[in-house]
């Protein structure tokens, strides 16, 4: 049953973030040929997962002490994420990667404005809330939202190919004094509309991926930001601090920031001989 206070979402990729500490000195002590074989085996596992029809994979070298490597998987089901997690952990490379934390979520497009409009339209049509006719009309309207070009392009897009990445989890406050979920729908919709205007003002400078994790993880949402200049993260997040939805109702978890790099650059990360690069995507093959 669709509760009138609950905004609908469009959901797509199942996402798994994994953060690891890399035991670099132990890896360095291995014979050179053995290190090269470990890198080849890992690359052969990851390369076919890179931006294919069933998902995507991203690697990022993280800065600071919290973790060294972030591995992000996109897949079409939790079962596939489970397969990928198990297969990765069976690689010899996993002997030198110590899990630090992880995050399970599903890519989400929020429909605050659209949900309110659909509810109003169905009410104006005289449909009884949650009747079979109302449910059918509501489902059709949501399906139409998924087909809109802007939404469809975002739902199944691969991991954005931009050099710098910032990931953090967040909640909406549910305390005794401030409780996001007790605000009237109209107030929440207005606040989210204002919140979204700030993000849109950074269009072209940052690509944002929001994933829902309610029921999946300790936080309610995960936020991935991708940009060609890391200073954009500071400017965007600082400006959003002054937005009422964030200033009054948001709670943030730890931030993980670093440089995204191509699977073929994994040997450079493991050897530490150079900062691994994000290479241009290969040109599509001519038919």
């Amino acid at each position: 049953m669709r509760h009138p206070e609950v905004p609908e979402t469009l959901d797509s990729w199942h996402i798994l973030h994994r953060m690891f500490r890399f035991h670099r000195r132990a890896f360095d002590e291995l014979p050179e040929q053995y290190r090269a074989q470990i890198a080849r085996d890992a690359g052969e596992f990851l390369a076919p997962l890179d931006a294919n029809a069933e998902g995507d994979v991203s690697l990022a070298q993280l800065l600071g002490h919290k973790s060294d490597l972030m591995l992000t998987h996109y897949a079409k089901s939790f079962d596939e994420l489970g397969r990928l997690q198990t297969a990765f952990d069976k690689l010899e490379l996993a002997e030198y990667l110590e899990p630090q934390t992880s995050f399970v979520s599903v890519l989400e497009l929020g429909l605050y404005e659209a949900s309110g409009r659909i509810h109003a339209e169905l009410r104006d049509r005289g449909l009884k809330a949650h009747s079979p006719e109302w449910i059918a009309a509501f489902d059709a309207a949501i399906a139409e939202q998924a087909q809109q070009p802007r939404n469809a392009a975002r739902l199944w897009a691969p991991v954005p190919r931009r050099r710098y990445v910032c990931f953090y989890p967040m909640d909406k406050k549910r305390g005794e004094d401030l409780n996001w979920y007790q605000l009237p729908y109209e107030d929440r919709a207005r606040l989210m509309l204002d919140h979204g205007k700030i993000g849109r003002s950074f269009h072209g400078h940052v690509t944002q991926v929001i994933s829902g994790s309610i029921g999946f993880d300790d936080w309610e949402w995960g936020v991935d930001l991708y940009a060609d200049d890391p200073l954009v993260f500071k400017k965007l997040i600082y400006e959003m601090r002054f937005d009422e939805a964030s200033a009054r109702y948001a709670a943030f978890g730890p931030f993980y920031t670093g440089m995204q790099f191509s699977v073929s650059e994994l040997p450079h990360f493991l050897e530490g001989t150079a900062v691994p690069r994000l290479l241009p995507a290969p040109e599509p093959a001519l038919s």
Side-chain angles (χ1 to χ4, degrees):
M1 182 174 290
R2 286 76 171 171
H3 194 286
E5 292 296 315
V6 178
E8 286 293 315
T9 61
L10 300 176
D11 304 295
S12 59
W13 294 120
H14 296 62
I15 302 176
L16 174 62
H17 291 80
R18 303 183 73 188
M19 289 71 163
F20 299 95
R21 186 178 309 285
F22 178 42
H23 293 293
R24 185 174 298 280
R25 294 181 68 178
F27 185 82
D28 286 347
E29 292 176 357
L30 299 174
E32 181 179 357
Q33 289 186 334
Y34 190 28
R35 297 199 310 268
Q37 185 61 53
I38 289 175
R40 279 195 299 272
D41 290 346
E44 289 173 1
F45 169 74
L46 292 168
L49 307 177
D50 193 4
N52 64 49
E54 299 302 314
D56 201 0
V57 67
S58 167
L59 296 169
Q61 177 179 346
L62 298 178
L63 299 174
H65 75 284
K66 285 179 283 189
S67 292
D68 299 312
L69 177 70
M70 181 167 70
L71 175 65
T72 305
H73 281 299
Y74 283 15
K76 290 191 173 180
S77 70
F78 274 3
D79 296 73
E80 178 62 7
L81 289 181
R83 185 189 73 80
L84 294 171
Q85 177 174 313
T86 299
F88 183 82
D89 288 349
K90 292 175 71 173
L91 294 173
E92 190 67 23
L93 176 60
E95 288 291 318
Y96 304 92
L97 295 175
E98 179 184 352
Q100 299 298 295
T101 190
S102 63
F103 198 79
V104 179
S105 58
V106 173
L107 193 147
E108 170 183 303
L109 298 186
L111 296 176
Y112 257 104
E113 185 178 3
S115 294
R117 185 175 64 251
I118 293 168
H119 279 282
E121 291 173 354
L122 298 185
R123 184 172 59 249
D124 292 344
R125 288 168 56 182
L127 296 179
K128 182 180 178 181
H130 308 304
S131 66
E133 295 79 13
W134 186 96
I135 292 174
F138 185 88
D139 288 347
I142 293 298
E144 183 178 336
Q145 289 291 319
Q147 297 303 316
Q148 291 187 4
R150 181 174 181 273
N151 289 337
R154 294 169 64 198
L155 279 172
W156 298 107
V159 177
R161 267 21 181 200
R162 307 187 82 163
R163 174 58 166 166
Y164 301 100
V165 58
C166 173
F167 170 79
Y168 60 93
M170 64 169 294
D171 284 346
K172 293 295 188 185
K173 292 181 180 177
R174 305 189 305 279
E176 295 180 3
D177 298 324
L178 291 173
N179 190 325
W180 173 259
Y181 297 96
Q182 290 184 339
L183 287 176
Y185 187 96
E186 293 76 13
D187 291 349
R188 284 181 281 127
R190 173 183 57 80
L191 290 172
M192 291 307 296
L193 180 62
D194 291 342
H195 183 75
K197 288 178 181 177
I198 297 176
R200 287 191 289 276
S201 72
F202 282 79
H203 178 72
H205 297 286
V206 64
T207 305
Q208 181 174 265
V209 177
I210 304 295
S211 54
S213 49
I214 296 175
F216 301 145
D217 219 303
D218 297 336
W219 296 82
E220 296 177 330
W221 287 276
V223 180
D224 285 283
L225 303 176
Y226 299 87
D228 303 320
D229 180 354
L231 191 58
V232 172
F233 302 148
K234 176 179 181 292
K235 293 180 179 294
L236 169 61
I237 294 169
Y238 184 59
E239 186 166 339
M240 284 188 168
R241 289 288 194 268
F242 293 90
D243 163 66
E244 185 177 357
S246 293
R248 289 177 61 84
Y249 295 102
F252 299 91
F255 282 67
Y256 296 87
T257 307
M259 294 79 69
Q260 189 174 201
F261 63 89
S262 299
V263 170
S264 61
E265 290 283 290
L266 181 60
H268 290 305
F269 171 80
L270 297 177
E271 292 293 332
T273 52
V275 176
R277 301 168 297 163
L278 181 64
L279 304 176
E283 295 291 334
L286 298 177
S287 58

